[in-house]
Amino acid sequence: MAQPDSKKIFFENLSGAGKAIAVLTSGGDAQGMNAAVRAVVRMGLYVGAKVYFIHEGYQGMVDGGDNIKEASWESVSSMLQVGGTVIGSARCKEFRTHEGRLKAANNLVQYGITNLCVIGGDGSLTGANLFREEWSGLLAELVEQGLIETDAIQKYSALHIVGMVGSIDNDFCGTDMTIGTDSALHRIIEVVDAIMTTAQSHQRTFVLEVMGRHYHYQLYWVLIPEMPPEDGWEDKMCQKLSANRAGMKRLNIIIVAEGAIDRNNMPITTDYIKNLVVKCLGFDTRVTILGHVQRGGTPSAFDRILASRMGVEAVLALLETTANTPACVVSLCGNQSVRLPLMECVQMTQEVQKAMDEKRFEEAVKLRGRSFENNLKTYKLLAHRKPESELPTSNFNVAVLNVGAPAAGMNAAVRSAVRVGISEGHKMFAVSDGFEGFYKGQIKEIKWADVGGWTGQGGSLLGTKRTLPAKHVDKIAEQMRKHNINALLIVGGFEALLSLLELLTARGKYDEFCVPMVMVPATVSNNVPGSDLSIGADTALNAITTTCDRIKQSASGTKRRVFIIETMGGYCGYLASVGGLAAGADAAYIYEEPFDIRDLQANVEHLTEKMKTSIQRGLVLRNENCNENYTTDFIYQLYSEEGKGVFDSRKNVLGHMQQGGAPSPFDRNFGTKISAKAMQWVTKKLVETFRQGKVNVDSCCLLGMRRRALVFQPVVQLKDETDFVHRIPKEQWWLKLRPLMKILAKYKTSYDVSDSGQLEHVVRNRPKESDASVAM
């Protein structure tokens, strides 16, 4: 396969020889913890360190004995897709005492462990930091008691701690997303999507209680601890429910976080709300408490990828640490991993609770971070329409359309654009069937209520086509003039980018196109230049991951077998590569990384060796256009022939199932927030152009996720970044993840650490101007 760039810095310089790393999970369990444990173990072994499991969290560390076991490569096989934590988690009162920590220190010294990777919540991480601070004193006590030799104080002089936050609540300051949150949201939306059908059928009101602070849904009414409702909220809620029913709206769902409170810090329970609705309105009202269902089940693709990235990053942080390095927590900011001082994050998290206890709720929201704050603002903007008298009057008409192939989350993006546009005083128009419908005049005004319930629906309710505008630019200009369209918002994939470039060219001939135009990327292929992520790609990854899990499970108990899976993506290898990381693939063949028959043969031999030990199943992904000669059939036949006597092979082409289905929580949220931001940009540009009477090149932009920030980029600037022949960006960030997949599959490879997280401070880890919080 393609050789890495020699100019980059590689982690071979960071040897783990002679180091002992222990990994434990503590506190409540969360989906994805096993993926993190797997990554720590395999990365640790890869760099030459000894790696140990500590079973049952801090309790196992205190008890010692069989609770501390050396880990092998095979001991973490087949755990990527398993929920919970296979090494166990337990709350330990004894570790909170000095005597308990003394026992734990003694047990670690017996194994030479001075590097701890702790996966848990803020309580678990605080305990780890206290343990680290007391370490030298604990060793001195152990020497005095004759439990360890005197030279152990120098030999094991410092305890190094790196944390990863595993919590479905996403309540830890310093990270946009904690391990387990996305999977919990998957459980919630599965329940809510199911309840929506019966709620509509019977005109029932449902009150749902969820753990933590999940409010992703943009549903009818949401009650969370950080945003207690204003006094008199009961009357307002009942009035809204009554108005909904009078307006023939059949869907009323209220979500209550288990810790919801009012402005006087009094709890708001599901039973209180049910009794209130029944007493005041007489509506048929049912309560559903999700409880520990949210913790269960298989981890989502997002959590597997996040946990794998964070696990590898944690090992790198341990390799680089010194005696003066503070304990750090590995976090996610936008699409980039960062390292933050553990206690800064813990102190900020505690400040949030203190602000809430003191009824400083607005401050608590700000302390929770930009991601939380922007989610909250977007929800409030979209959930409840202001009265007509309170809406501004802009006299601008804005058209919204989908272009390209369908992608889950498109409807959430359209809903968001329509409602933000109406909130800002615009008249919104929906264009059916992309530019084909545009030139045919399939344009009509779309109102607030018209997009109700769109968030959870897959595909494109507006209709979408790949048709480009150039051939019909005169008719499109005519329709722009006829409907007095003052701005365009396009939700789509690579064709949407091409369309904007064509409309930009047409400005010289048609004044109708001298209006603000913005594109929001939406394609399962994730091949749009200017954005790390596209709406729809996460849903496709979940489809791939779920299918791969089932396919691998089909071989359970049978003879050794290798599966060859073909994914979509055109020439872009994103789905194959990142899907391979999430599914635990042994190889992923893509166009961006050329390969030949020698590479194929090496992969077969690698799998053969693994199969001869304890590995029962192999998984190989192939991007549909990775090579015109090495087809899926060819690779299947090669593996079948070369694996004779060791394993047999099967193949599967996933096809359009990757484009279908309800959008994932990430795609609903990403589509909602990025489209809301795009619509606010449109408003700003409309005001500017109205005053100045002219439109410049900056008014034709793509809004994309770039590392930590959502950035508006003129489409003309993206031309140099684009391979138009193969319809992919010339540089793609996710290629840096490919070595992770290879390392976790036991290949020898080079891993570029030049982009790994650097220690930062909590207060400085968010951009000031742009919203980096796409990850929920």
Side-chain angles (χ1 to χ4, degrees), residues 197-213:
T197 56
T198 189
Q200 289 176 315
S201 299
H202 299 281
Q203 285 194 319
R204 284 178 177 149
T205 298
F206 276 86
V207 185
L208 271 66
E209 180 182 291
V210 300
M211 288 180 166
R213 298 165 178 85

Side-chain angles (χ1 to χ4, degrees), residues 488-542:
L488 287 180
L489 191 153
I490 303 174
V491 181
F494 201 87
E495 291 85 357
L497 176 64
L498 295 176
S499 297
L500 278 184
L501 289 169
E502 290 182 358
L503 293 179
L504 191 62
T505 301
R507 279 181 172 176
K509 188 175 180 182
Y510 299 94
D511 289 340
E512 288 79 5
F513 299 123
C514 294
V515 297
M517 297 185 284
V518 64
M519 170 192 166
V520 171
T523 167
V524 301
S525 301
N526 198 33
N527 64 330
V528 177
S531 188
D532 291 353
L533 302 169
S534 297
I535 299 165
D538 183 74
T539 304
L541 283 175
N542 277 287

Side-chain angles (χ1 to χ4, degrees), residues 34-35 37-38 53 75-83 86-87:
N34 288 325
V37 170
R38 171 179 177 266
F53 294 132
S75 62
V76 292
S77 296
S78 302
M79 66 187 288
L80 184 62
Q81 69 273 20
V82 178
V86 298
I87 62 174

Side-chain angles (χ1 to χ4, degrees), residues 567 573-582 588 590 621 734-735 737-738 741:
T567 66
Y574 176 82
L575 290 181
S577 297
V578 182
L581 180 60
I590 63 171
L621 271 60
W734 53 264
L735 287 170
L737 297 183
R738 283 183 61 79
M741 184 192 70

Side-chain angles (χ1 to χ4, degrees), residues 296-312:
T298 273
S300 66
F302 184 99
D303 272 330
R304 299 185 199 194
I305 296 159
L306 173 65
S308 297
R309 291 177 68 182
M310 298 299 102
V312 169

Side-chain angles (χ1 to χ4, degrees), residues 398-404 410-411 413-414 417-418 428-439 442-443 446 454 460-465 467-469 476 480 485 487-493 495-496 499-500 503 516-520 522 675:
V398 182
V400 181
L401 66 157
N402 295 157
V403 177
M410 275 183 162
N411 296 321
V414 171
V418 168
M428 301 300 297
F429 287 83
V431 181
S432 300
D433 297 333
F435 282 106
E436 185 173 315
F438 210 135
Y439 83 80
Q442 296 171 205
I443 305 167
I446 187 166
W454 280 34
S460 168
L461 293 174
L462 285 184
T464 182
K465 301 276 188 180
T467 306
L468 298 179
I476 294 171
M480 293 274 288
I485 301 299
L488 287 180
L489 191 153
I490 303 174
V491 181
E495 291 85 357
S499 297
L500 278 184
L503 293 179
M517 297 185 284
V518 64
M519 170 192 166
V520 171
S675 193

Side-chain angles (χ1 to χ4, degrees), residues 9 283 741:
I9 305 168
F283 288 176
M741 184 192 70

